[in-house]
Amino acid sequence: MKEFEKWISKAENDLLSISNNFNSVNIPVEICCFHAQQAAEKYMKAYLVSKNLYFPKTHDLEALLHLCGQVNPFFGNVLVEARSLVRFAITPRYPDLADDLTIDDAKQAQQDTLKIKQFILQHFFE
């Protein structure tokens, strides 16, 4: 398995975790939001690895998107989605910060991640 495929596999597992959690009785929305951010991050890192580009150890989606944009300027097309997910790298980890997250937040996070995934996979081999 190539290195970028490993990143994609990890991202797919994050999406699977979201889907599995949506099927539970008590949906842990903060976990769904966190995994959405993580999946988007891993798709971006897969893209960068596929282009042999170095990226720092970071969870900053805007920074990663900027690096992806150096290869393909159309990455700006998913900037809104990336920005919407940024807070989920930290917020869900702390009880007081995650208390106000809703199922709608989790569903939107999932949709934003799926849009980023679709965009990256469309441009993967350009």
Side-chain angles (χ1 to χ4, degrees):
M1 183 180 280
K2 295 180 180 175
E3 189 66 21
F4 74 85
E5 293 171 321
K6 293 177 185 177
W7 283 101
I8 290 174
S9 177
K10 290 283 197 184
E12 289 295 314
N13 285 339
D14 283 313
L15 289 177
L16 179 60
S17 179
I18 295 167
S19 295
N20 289 342
N21 280 311
F22 278 153
N23 290 325
S24 66
V25 175
N26 295 316
I27 300 170
V29 295
E30 72 279 1
I31 299 302
C32 294
C33 293
F34 174 74
H35 281 289
Q37 185 281 338
Q38 287 291 290
E41 177 183 324
K42 290 168 186 160
Y43 283 117
M44 288 181 203
K45 289 178 177 180
Y47 180 81
L48 292 168
V49 167
S50 76
K51 303 301 180 193
N52 295 314
L53 292 174
Y54 168 80
F55 55 88
K57 289 185 178 183
T58 184
H59 301 294
D60 184 343
L61 295 184
E62 287 189 72
L64 293 170
L65 193 66
H66 176 73
L67 290 172
C68 292
Q70 292 177 356
V71 177
N72 182 334
F74 292 109
F75 268 84
N77 292 347
V78 291
L79 180 60
V80 170
E81 290 77 14
R83 282 185 176 156
S84 76
L85 295 168
V86 166
R87 69 185 177 127
F88 300 135
I90 305 283
T91 303
R93 297 179 188 198
Y94 298 93
D96 293 341
L97 299 177
D99 287 345
D100 65 340
L101 294 175
T102 66
I103 188 69
D104 290 335
D105 291 326
K107 288 179 180 177
Q108 186 61 54
Q110 181 187 40
Q111 290 305 308
D112 290 341
T113 298
L114 290 172
K115 184 171 180 185
I116 290 169
K117 171 190 174 179
Q118 178 184 16
F119 177 85
I120 287 175
L121 294 181
Q122 278 180 321
H123 295 277
F124 211 80
F125 295 107
E126 292 179 346

